[in-house]
Amino acid sequence: MMYTDQLGTLINIPSTPSRIVCLVPSITELLFDLGLGDNVVGCTKFCIHPNKPYLTKQMIGGTKDLNLKKILDLHPDLILANKEENNKEQISFLSSSVPVWVSDVKTFDDSLKMIEQIGLITNRATRASEITDLLINNLKPKKPKKKAIYLIWKDPFMTVGGDTYISDILHRCGYINTYANQKRYPIITLEEIREHNPDVVLLSSEPYPFKEVHLNTIKKFLNNTEVELVDGEFFSWYGSRQLHT
C-alpha cells in the first residue's frame, strides 16, 4: 500500500506493520491507545506515556540523537517520526532502509488527520476514529477571552508564534495568543511582556520546567498580571494526550 505522510512524501508500506519504532513521545502514547503496544519494539527515552514504555521496549536514544544502528537492528517495518522533533539527516538515513512516515502537526486538525492516517496504516481505523471523536468532544472551541503569553523557555525567554500547535490549542481553550502574528518560537524579554500587558502569562512545565519560584519572580516583575503554571503536555503533545489530562 502507498501512503502519503504529512510532508507530502509517498511511502510504500507493503503490509500492516507488526514491528514499529516510534521516534515521537506523543505518538508512542497514541500507539498504545490504538491497542498497538505489543507492536512497538523501540522508542525514545522521552517516551514516558503510558507507564514509561522505554523501560520495557528497546530505548533508541533521544528524539534528536537517535542510535541509528540500534534502530535498524530491531528490523522495524515502520518508523514514525516528526518533522520538528527529529533530525532531518537521521530520518533521511533511516528512510533508505525502512518506511518512515513523518508527521508535521501545526494545528489540532493536523493532529486529528495524523491519528486517522496512523490508524489506517496500522489497521486500527475504527479505534482511531473513536479517539478523534473523543478529542473533538473534549476540546470544543471556546470563545477567546484572555490575552495570553505562553512561555516555553527561560534564559532567554521564548514564547510561541501563531503557526504552532500550542497556539492553536491556546485558541481552542479560550486564549488569545499575543504573539500569533509571529512564527515558531520568538525570543522575548520580561520588559516586552510588560509592554504587551497580557491578561495572563502561562508558564509551561516543558520543555523548560517552570516552577513556583519562577512564577513568583515573574509575577513580581509584572505587578498585577496573572501568572499561572500549566501542564505543557496538554498544550504541546498532539495525539491522544488530552484524553489523559
Side-chain angles (χ1 to χ4, degrees):
M1 294 289 291
M2 303 298 291
Y3 299 92
T4 302
D5 71 10
Q6 290 186 298
L7 298 184
T9 305
L10 201 59
I11 312 296
N12 180 23
I13 305 174
S15 59
T16 302
S18 60
R19 297 181 60 81
I20 303 172
V21 169
C22 188
L23 313 180
V24 189
S26 58
I27 297 180
T28 296
E29 179 177 37
L30 171 65
L31 292 173
F32 278 80
D33 283 334
L34 287 170
L36 294 164
D38 290 340
N39 299 90
V40 176
V41 295
C43 60
T44 77
K45 63 184 178 182
F46 300 116
C47 296
I48 60 174
H49 298 299
N51 302 318
K52 301 180 179 178
Y54 64 85
L55 295 176
T56 56
K57 309 294 181 177
Q58 284 291 320
M59 198 276 283
I60 45 79
T63 51
K64 296 188 184 298
D65 56 344
L66 303 168
N67 186 324
L68 302 178
K69 182 180 184 304
K70 182 179 276 190
I71 291 172
L72 294 178
D73 285 347
L74 289 170
H75 303 292
D77 44 24
L78 175 65
I79 296 174
L80 295 172
N82 177 263
K83 177 185 177 181
E84 184 171 87
E85 294 193 47
N86 302 126
N87 179 282
K88 183 179 179 180
E89 287 71 27
Q90 291 190 320
I91 296 307
S92 179
F93 173 82
L94 292 169
S95 298
S96 64
S97 303
V98 182
V100 180
W101 194 90
V102 183
S103 59
D104 184 20
V105 179
K106 296 179 181 177
T107 66
F108 181 66
D109 286 343
D110 288 342
S111 180
L112 298 180
K113 291 173 184 175
M114 179 268 293
I115 295 169
E116 291 170 354
Q117 280 294 303
I118 292 178
L120 284 173
I121 293 169
T122 59
N123 197 28
R124 292 292 194 279
T126 300
R127 176 57 181 154
S129 181
E130 291 172 353
I131 289 172
T132 57
D133 286 347
L134 286 169
L135 287 167
I136 291 169
N137 186 61
N138 286 6
L139 284 172
K140 291 179 180 177
K142 298 178 182 178
K143 184 177 180 180
K145 294 180 179 179
K146 284 189 174 184
K147 187 168 69 171
I149 293 178
Y150 184 101
L151 295 182
I152 61 169
W153 201 256
K154 181 181 179 292
D155 298 328
F157 286 110
M158 295 175 69
T159 186
V160 295
D163 61 343
T164 61
Y165 176 77
I166 295 173
S167 185
D168 195 45
I169 295 298
L170 285 170
H171 189 262
R172 294 184 75 87
C173 291
Y175 296 103
I176 302 166
N177 181 10
T178 303
Y179 282 83
N181 63 336
Q182 297 195 30
K183 293 184 177 182
R184 309 317 293 153
Y185 307 106
I187 294 174
I188 60 176
T189 65
L190 288 179
E191 288 78 8
E192 288 173 321
I193 293 175
R194 186 159 59 186
E195 288 173 9
H196 279 291
N197 191 30
D199 297 310
V200 61
V201 174
L202 303 175
L203 307 181
S204 178
S205 60
E206 64 167 52
Y208 186 89
F210 283 101
K211 306 292 184 186
E212 196 76 28
V213 62
H214 306 115
L215 181 150
N216 292 332
T217 300
I218 293 172
K219 196 166 188 175
K220 187 179 296 184
F221 185 87
L222 298 178
N223 299 322
N224 296 322
T225 300
E226 184 181 352
V227 184
E228 296 180 12
L229 296 172
V230 296
D231 181 359
E233 292 180 358
F234 176 88
F235 286 96
S236 65
W237 281 44
Y238 42 83
S240 51
R241 174 89 295 249
Q242 285 94 353
L243 300 182
H244 305 287
T245 56

